[in-house]
Amino acid sequence: MQIEWRQSQSYGRYLLSRLRQPIVGFCLSIGLATSGLMTLPGYSSTLSESAISAISPASISTSLAANASQLIAQRSPVLADGVYLYGQVPERDQLGVAYLVFEVIAERVTGAFFMPHSSFDCFQGSFQGNQLALQVRDSYEQTVHPFSIALQEVAIANPLGGATPTMTLEGFHEIDTIDSNDQRILETCQSDFSGEI
């Protein structure tokens, strides 16, 4: 009983000494300790005072960097695999309005920019950071130009209450229905790029 009291008293002194450091360091230490990140291999989940004093800021930084890498690797894709239609306005088939139809497969994108009753320009690309980076092939000159669309996080109301964050293309509205003309344009561009993907 006396030994347990001394150990808890030592840990209490340790926590008080951490209070003298910036509050961020203290919060980080408590957060790491409660999440189990400070558990060392080969030791029990309760750290001794000597084990705690052996933990350096560098080892904490290394643990945080490793966990951040795991979170990035486990992140969900920006857009799930599937076919999408976006327009500068939320209604389809508006004259003079730009639309894009594309398919996402493993975060690779193939599709087209088009206006109703006009030609279309095919593109391919991928999600890179906070943008959709594309290579657009001009339908007349067959030249390729880089183009990017910023990604924007929006909150979608969910039926259980609250909101679910999702990514969308900045300046565009997602349109739910894909018609046969959209599908034809998409298939033409996929065929054009089939040898390049």
Side-chain angles (χ1 to χ4, degrees), residues 15-33:
L15 287 177
L16 286 175
S17 71
R18 297 297 285 172
L19 279 175
R20 293 185 188 119
Q21 295 179 6
I23 192 71
V24 173
F26 176 74
C27 292
L28 178 63
S29 297
I30 295 300
L32 291 173

Side-chain angles (χ1 to χ4, degrees), residues 59-154:
S59 66
I60 292 172
S61 296
T62 303
S63 293
L64 289 175
N67 286 333
S69 297
Q70 288 174 349
L71 287 174
I72 289 169
Q74 294 172 356
R75 72 175 176 80
S76 58
V78 174
L79 288 176
D81 287 3
V83 177
Y84 296 87
L85 176 66
Y86 280 82
Q88 289 177 311
V89 297
E91 301 81 25
R92 55 178 308 118
D93 300 323
Q94 302 297 305
L95 291 177
V97 173
Y99 295 89
L100 63 155
V101 61
F102 58 91
E103 183 172 22
V104 178
I105 300 175
E107 295 199 26
R108 297 280 310 155
V109 177
T110 303
F113 285 105
F114 67 95
M115 289 185 170
H117 310 292
S118 184
S119 64
F120 57 90
D121 296 326
C122 296
F123 61 75
Q124 64 179 356
S126 62
F127 296 101
Q128 297 177 5
N130 61 352
Q131 66 181 359
L132 174 57
L134 303 172
Q135 295 294 317
V136 182
R137 181 179 294 158
D138 182 280
S139 58
Y140 294 110
E141 299 173 6
Q142 293 299 303
T143 55
V144 177
H145 306 280
F147 185 80
S148 64
I149 302 172
L151 299 174
Q152 178 180 14
E153 188 173 9
V154 295

Side-chain angles (χ1 to χ4, degrees), residues 5-50:
W5 180 80
R6 283 185 188 156
Q7 286 177 345
S8 66
Q9 185 180 29
S10 296
Y11 189 69
R13 277 196 303 254
Y14 166 75
L15 287 177
L16 286 175
S17 71
R18 297 297 285 172
L19 279 175
R20 293 185 188 119
Q21 295 179 6
I23 192 71
V24 173
F26 176 74
C27 292
L28 178 63
S29 297
I30 295 300
L32 291 173
T34 58
S35 68
L37 292 175
M38 292 177 69
T39 302
L40 299 174
Y43 289 86
S44 69
S45 62
T46 305
L47 295 176
S48 67
E49 187 173 330
S50 62

Side-chain angles (χ1 to χ4, degrees), residues 76-78 152-168 174:
S76 58
V78 174
Q152 178 180 14
E153 188 173 9
V154 295
I156 304 293
N158 93 35
L160 301 175
T164 304
T166 188
M167 297 302 283
T168 188
E174 186 172 4

